[in-house]
Structure formats: C-alpha cells, structure tokens
Amino acid sequence: MENNQIQTAARIINEGGLVAFPTETVYGLGANALNPIAVAKIFALKERPSFDPLIVHIASYDELKTLTNKPKDLVLKLAKKFWPGPLTIVLVKSNIVPDIVTSGLPTVGIRMPDNEIALNLIRASKCPIAAPSANKFGNLSPVSAKHVKKQLPGVDFILDGGKSKIGIESTIVTLEGNICTILRPGKITIDEINDALHGIFVFNTNKSEKITAPGLLKSHYSPTKPLYLLKEKLVQLPKKSGVILHGACDNSPKCEKIIFTSQNNNQLEIAANLFSSLHAMEDDKHITQIFIEPVIEEGLGIAIMDRIKKAVYKYESIK
Ligand code: AMP
Ligand code: MG
C-alpha cells in the first residue's frame, strides 16, 4: 500500500468523511470516532439503525486510556493477550466519546485491529476510528474492496488491502466484576479467553438468554437471494441452486454450482471463505437460491454457525 493512499484516506477522515479500510476480520467503514457528524454519516450510508452501537478502532494504549476511564488490570490483561487482534472489549466510556457512537449506552466497544493498513490509517489520522462492517445493514459482510464497492458505492474512499485474513467479525466481550460475558462469538474462542483469564467466570450469551446486546439481532449477514441450510446432501434441490460445502465428499448434491469453503472442514478456512463464497453466489446470475452446509458448533465453529444461522434466518422463517 502506497503511503500517499494512507495520507489521502487520513485527510478524508480528518475532514469528516468516510473511508472503507481492510482489517483482519472484515472491511470496516470508518469515520473519526470523536466527530459526531462524521459518525452520523456511517449510520446514513449503511442504513444502520441508530440503536446499534459502533466499535471504535485504536492503534495505541494511549487511545484506550482517553476513551475509557482507567482500564482495570483484567482489561489490560485481555488486551495485551489478544491485541492487535479480533477481540472487542466493551468498557465504560469517557466523556470524549460522542453518544451517537455508542447509541446512547454508557459503554463503548474498543479494539486494536491486526492489520498494518488499518493501524497506519488510525496513526495517520491521529484519532480513534469508529467502524462497523462496510456493508448495508443486515447484508453480507465485506471481505474485499470489491464487496465494499458493490454495497456502498457512495463511500468517499476505499483502501484496498486484498482479502481479509480471518473473514468473520471480532469476538465481543464485557467484563463485570468476576464475570466475562461473550456478547458475540468470533475468531477468539471461549476456551482461549478462559485460558487468558484464570479464576474468572467466562460464559457465552449464545448459551444464556440473561444478557442481550443491541445489534445482536436474529437476522443479519444475509445475501440478497434466498439462503437455506442444507440439512441433507442428497435431497433434490430446485433448479438454479448454488451449494456451499465445507469439505469434499463422494456424493455431492446435484445443482448449478458448488463452492467449497474448505476441502477438509478446516475451521480457519471455512471462516476465511464464508462471506466470499456467499458473495460469489449472490453475484452469479445463474443462481436463484443458495444452500449452505452447517458446521459443528465447537471452537471457531460457534462463531461460523452464528453467522450462518443469522444469514438464513429471514429465509428459513418464511419457508
Ligand atoms: P459491527 O461492527 O457491525 O460488526 O457491529 C458491532 C456490534 O458490536 C454491535 O452490533 C453490538 O452488538 C456490539 N457493540 C458495540 N458497542 C457495544 C456496547 N457498548 N455494548 C454492547 N454491544 C456493543
Ligand atoms: Mg456488521
């Protein structure tokens, strides 16, 4: 990436514009997190409801200290273990964070992305960058610059950093007293967090209805064509069906097109290729509906299945 592209992007951020940029999870749609008018443009371009708070991206621990009041030792322990990386920590916000960023909540989600272009953009802009995924609200997440252009042609600038390495969004956690709650499953698994936080009770909201977070909707990440779970490989599929599988098999379904996210059910490969395979099916004019194989809900499979269940939700419920 040319330095002058980063400089141009940083200038746009400082002038209150929007820049789409790569992260290791998915592409983000960024604005100066401390400028409420710029942040409002994110909600407008994405058509995102105002009750759904944004994650603020930082490049240094100094920024963490200005966004939240005195982070506790446990927070620093988690951050030091997983940052830069796909972990968002929800913390009590300081007064400098505009309410629009947090949808009026007293807390703000913060992470340090593991992507040099993203970090250089934040450093060059000299401000934290609020960035949700760079897509229309509720649609497929973008893992390449092309996916961003397809859904958000009106964005001021796109930094093209190739395909996102991880391919699904960050794990989101809150820490209260001796309890760590995973609000959204992601690349970092509950076991990894447990290992990092000895003596702290870690649990998954997916398995408990006790806590609800704004934005944790049942339907999300959906393609513009009907998407269904492929419950059995040998069923007769309608004409013009596209099928997404996660491992090679002897008896593949009969259909128009098959995309493999992995040849051998490798979870890292499935995550990395999940959204790009859905985009490819969405873009293929020979396909009118898509079927996707489920994965086993273990380890990273929990986050992958979370995305798949939400992506099929609106279509499965009207079938
Ligand atoms: P996105 O960046 O589009 O992947 O979505 C960010 C998600 O982070 C939101 O939909 C919320 O579920 C979650 N989030 C962000 N800030 C907070 C917060 N302060 N409290 C709880 N959840 C949050
Ligand atoms: Mg999103």
Side-chain angles (χ1 to χ4, degrees):
M1 165 82 35
E2 302 275 337
N3 185 41
N4 63 3
Q5 289 213 51
I6 300 277
Q7 295 308 326
T8 304
R11 182 178 46 76
I12 292 169
I13 293 282
N14 290 144
E15 287 169 354
L18 301 184
V19 172
F21 62 97
T23 81
E24 80 281 28
T25 59
V26 303
Y27 272 64
L29 178 65
N32 177 352
L34 307 182
N35 176 344
I37 295 168
V39 172
K41 293 180 191 166
I42 294 181
F43 284 91
L45 189 65
K46 272 184 67 85
E47 297 168 30
R48 182 177 175 108
S50 58
F51 62 75
D52 197 2
L54 307 182
I55 292 171
V56 177
H57 294 69
I58 59 172
S60 73
Y61 283 87
D62 285 344
E63 285 166 307
L64 174 69
K65 287 177 191 147
T66 63
L67 297 171
T68 180
N69 301 316
K70 250 187 161 265
K72 290 192 212 108
D73 287 351
L74 263 187
V75 171
L76 292 173
K77 198 168 173 185
L78 262 190
K80 295 231 157 87
K81 171 94 187 174
F82 296 111
W83 286 357
L87 182 76
T88 299
I89 311 177
V90 173
L91 298 162
V92 174
K93 80 175 189 74
S94 70
N95 288 339
I96 69 161
V97 182
D99 286 337
I100 187 169
V101 172
T102 66
S103 300
L105 292 172
T107 52
V108 58
I110 303 175
R111 92 174 185 102
M112 192 185 288
D114 184 17
N115 178 293
E116 268 315 299
I117 297 174
L119 292 171
N120 285 335
L121 174 65
I122 301 165
R123 287 181 198 123
S125 305
K126 298 193 171 64
C127 62
I129 294 186
S133 48
N135 55 344
K136 286 279 185 209
F137 179 74
N139 290 10
L140 291 177
S141 297
V143 291
S144 73
K146 191 177 128 207
H147 298 155
V148 178
K149 271 183 216 143
K150 178 169 79 168
Q151 293 190 30
L152 303 178
V155 62
D156 297 318
F157 197 70
I158 303 178
L159 286 168
D160 187 344
K163 196 173 165 196
S164 293
K165 194 168 67 189
I166 292 174
I168 56 173
E169 294 79 356
S170 59
T171 305
I172 304 179
V173 298
T174 60
L175 278 165
E176 274 164 65
N178 263 6
I179 298 178
C180 173
T181 310
I182 300 180
L183 298 179
R184 176 176 72 186
K187 166 65 174 46
I188 292 171
T189 62
I190 188 163
D191 290 345
E192 288 176 276
I193 296 173
N194 252 322
D195 282 350
L197 295 178
H198 298 292
I200 294 290
F201 182 51
V202 184
F203 78 100
N204 227 318
T205 39
N206 266 18
K207 295 199 178 134
S208 157
E209 295 298 318
K210 276 190 197 144
I211 297 184
T212 50
L216 293 182
L217 307 166
K218 284 186 172 164
S219 175
H220 214 66
Y221 315 112
S222 300
T224 50
K225 293 173 184 174
L227 172 71
Y228 307 106
L229 272 184
L230 183 73
K231 290 180 184 132
E232 254 187 82
K233 281 193 195 142
L234 290 178
V235 289
Q236 176 94 33
L237 296 174
K239 277 193 188 139
K240 295 193 165 188
S241 289
V243 173
I244 299 173
L245 300 176
H246 312 301
C249 55
D250 294 337
N251 37 21
S252 303
K254 287 204 170 45
C255 60
E256 184 77 26
K257 176 176 183 151
I258 298 184
I259 297 179
F260 292 95
T261 56
S262 167
Q263 286 301 315
N264 53 1
N265 285 288
N266 177 302
Q267 290 184 327
L268 287 172
E269 287 174 6
I270 299 171
N273 295 318
L274 179 69
F275 283 118
S276 48
S277 63
L278 286 162
H279 275 285
M281 290 294 189
E282 182 178 86
D283 296 344
D284 188 330
K285 59 181 187 318
H286 302 293
I287 301 296
T288 49
Q289 64 275 313
I290 313 162
F291 291 82
I292 187 163
E293 196 182 11
V295 300
I296 295 169
E297 288 179 88
E298 277 171 17
L300 182 53
I302 294 176
I304 297 168
M305 230 12 234
D306 169 76
R307 307 306 188 271
I308 294 177
K309 281 183 194 162
K310 287 179 180 160
V312 300
Y313 185 81
K314 72 176 178 192
Y315 301 112
E316 288 281 349
S317 54
I318 53 167
K319 207 161 67 166

